[in-house]
């Protein structure tokens, strides 16, 4: 469910940096905090120009407030790694 909604958010809000041509992927590590907001921890453009990393970071930070994870009844931060394909 989360992955499907994340895929939908990326597909809807992704802006391809038009001054560049080509394809590639950016790996983004991010955390959904105990407050439900996302925070980017690391971005790896795998050789793509910096603009692709900036767009990947922007799109993850634009996620709406989410329901934080729970473990043993307590709210916890959850870390994700997600590839964004350009």
């Amino acid at each position: 469910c989360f992955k499907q909604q994340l895929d939908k958010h990326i597909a809807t809000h992704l802006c391809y940096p038009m001054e560049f041509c080509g394809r590639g992927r950016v790996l983004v590590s991010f955390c959904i905090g105990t407050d439900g907001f996302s925070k980017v921890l690391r971005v790896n453009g795998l050789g793509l120009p910096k603009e692709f990393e900036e767009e990947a970071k922007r799109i993850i930070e634009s996620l709406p407030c989410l329901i934080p994870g729970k473990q043993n009844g307590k709210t916890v931060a959850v870390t994700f790694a997600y590839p964004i394909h350009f």
Side-chain angles (χ1 to χ4, degrees):
C1 180
F2 173 72
K3 170 124 172 38
Q4 291 172 341
Q5 292 301 315
L6 182 58
D7 291 343
K8 184 178 175 182
H9 177 80
I10 301 286
T12 304
H13 295 93
L14 183 69
C15 295
Y16 186 89
M18 295 308 289
E19 61 271 15
F20 300 101
C21 60
R23 303 168 96 175
R25 126 183 118 148
V26 176
L27 297 175
V28 183
S29 295
F30 65 100
C31 176
I32 304 297
T34 57
D35 59 358
F37 289 99
S38 60
K39 178 182 176 188
V40 174
L41 304 173
R42 188 175 55 215
V43 181
N44 185 347
L46 303 170
L48 291 174
K50 265 302 195 216
E51 287 78 6
F52 289 91
E53 290 182 2
E54 291 168 1
E55 176 59 14
K57 184 177 179 180
R58 181 197 69 80
I59 202 161
I60 294 298
E61 289 178 343
S62 72
L63 286 169
C65 185
L66 302 166
I67 298 169
K70 286 194 175 188
Q71 186 174 29
N72 297 326
K74 294 184 179 181
T75 306
V76 295
V78 181
T79 302
F80 295 93
Y82 186 81
I84 298 177
H85 298 273
F86 288 90

